[in-house]
Amino acid sequence: SQTIHQWPATLVQPVGSPLSLECTVEGTSNPNLYWYRQAAGRGLQLLFYSVGIGQISSEVPQNLSASRPQDRQFILSSKKLLLSDSGFYLCAGDRMASGANVLTFGAGSRLTVL
Amino acid sequence: GDSVTQMEGPVTLSEEAFLTINCTYTATGYPSLFWYVQYPGEGLQLLLKATKADDKGSNKGFEATYRKETTSFHLEKGSVQVSDSAVYFCALSATGGSYIPTFGRGTSLIVHP
């Protein structure tokens, strides 16, 4: 089975400070990996996805970036946080299960920008 | 493009009531359909899935049937519990073209004792 680890679980950062959220995957090799953001009371917004090492696709323009330095590591970064970056960030990996592409999510990282 | 539409929430029920959360989709081809659940403060987890027309997915007393003729995948449970309070997301994953899952906006369920 696949397990997604995310950290930190919670962080409070001032506007203009940098950000680094990390995600690692256990149990599968070469998964597609995803970063989602969930604003309070809202649905999921896909930010980035990756099909392999060094391959990143961005879904929305923003001051965030992502990197995949290793097969099972996916990092979300920012050089200067904005107030609007506050939210709940979720990393996910996919796997095939009974003919369906199923996502496994991490526990999330809650970011508050002050 | 592909899309998923869920009923607006929150849905508020008393314990042991019957639950239906509506979900309809648009997609080319024959997508797989999913329900994910998100408990407060946690990530999403797969609740159930169906991969072809007329398939019924089921788990923890929840059921959903893949209806191709109505492009629907409604979630049902006969008797909800307080512990079912969560946000429920309907999603699809296309079998051709983009593999990236498409999610609905989520429906919050609140169950009172």
Side-chain angles (χ1 to χ4, degrees):
Chain A
S1 64
Q2 185 181 66
T3 304
I4 306 290
H5 300 283
Q6 274 186 253
W7 70 94
T10 307
L11 65 165
V12 180
Q13 296 284 98
V15 169
S17 63
L19 171 73
S20 180
L21 300 179
E22 296 205 28
C23 169
T24 59
V25 182
E26 275 184 31
T28 54
S29 297
N30 198 29
N32 298 320
L33 297 176
Y34 307 80
W35 277 111
Y36 288 90
R37 178 169 58 200
Q38 190 176 28
R42 304 287 295 275
L44 297 173
Q45 179 186 32
L46 179 62
L47 301 176
F48 301 94
Y49 65 94
S50 171
V51 300
I53 296 173
Q55 301 179 66
I56 308 295
S57 296
S58 174
E59 288 294 295
V60 292
Q62 61 217 327
N63 69 321
L64 299 172
S65 61
S67 62
R68 188 168 176 178
Q70 301 179 43
D71 179 47
R72 299 182 186 187
Q73 185 182 22
F74 201 27
I75 299 170
L76 183 69
S77 304
S78 174
K79 293 182 179 178
K80 288 187 177 182
L81 284 169
L82 306 173
L83 286 174
S84 58
D85 291 324
S86 293
F88 192 51
Y89 289 81
L90 290 161
C91 180
D94 66 12
R95 60 185 173 87
M96 290 303 293
S98 303
N101 189 31
V102 174
L103 289 188
T104 302
F105 285 82
S109 299
R110 186 165 302 282
L111 170 65
T112 303
V113 183
L114 301 175
Chain B
D2 297 345
S3 67
V4 175
T5 303
Q6 290 182 237
M7 60 189 293
E8 292 281 334
V11 173
T12 304
L13 296 173
S14 297
E15 205 165 25
E16 298 183 4
F18 184 85
L19 168 71
T20 300
I21 300 178
N22 291 337
C23 171
T24 57
Y25 68 91
T26 57
T28 54
Y30 302 93
S32 295
L33 302 174
F34 309 84
W35 279 100
Y36 287 84
V37 59
Q38 183 181 30
Y39 298 104
E42 299 183 7
L44 281 72
Q45 55 186 276
L46 180 67
L47 180 59
L48 52 84
K49 67 181 186 327
T51 58
K52 60 183 187 297
D54 300 325
D55 267 3
K56 177 185 286 187
S58 61
N59 186 24
K60 299 181 181 180
F62 291 89
E63 293 182 339
T65 301
Y66 190 141
R67 300 288 188 199
K68 191 173 187 304
E69 63 277 12
T70 55
T71 61
S72 65
F73 193 54
H74 305 321
L75 182 68
E76 297 182 336
K77 187 175 185 182
S79 175
V80 294
Q81 305 300 312
V82 172
S83 57
D84 293 326
S85 298
V87 180
Y88 293 81
F89 291 89
C90 186
L92 68 83
S93 180
T95 53
S98 174
Y99 54 86
I100 301 170
T102 300
F103 283 86
R105 292 179 59 84
T107 302
S108 175
L109 170 65
I110 302 169
V111 181
H112 293 294

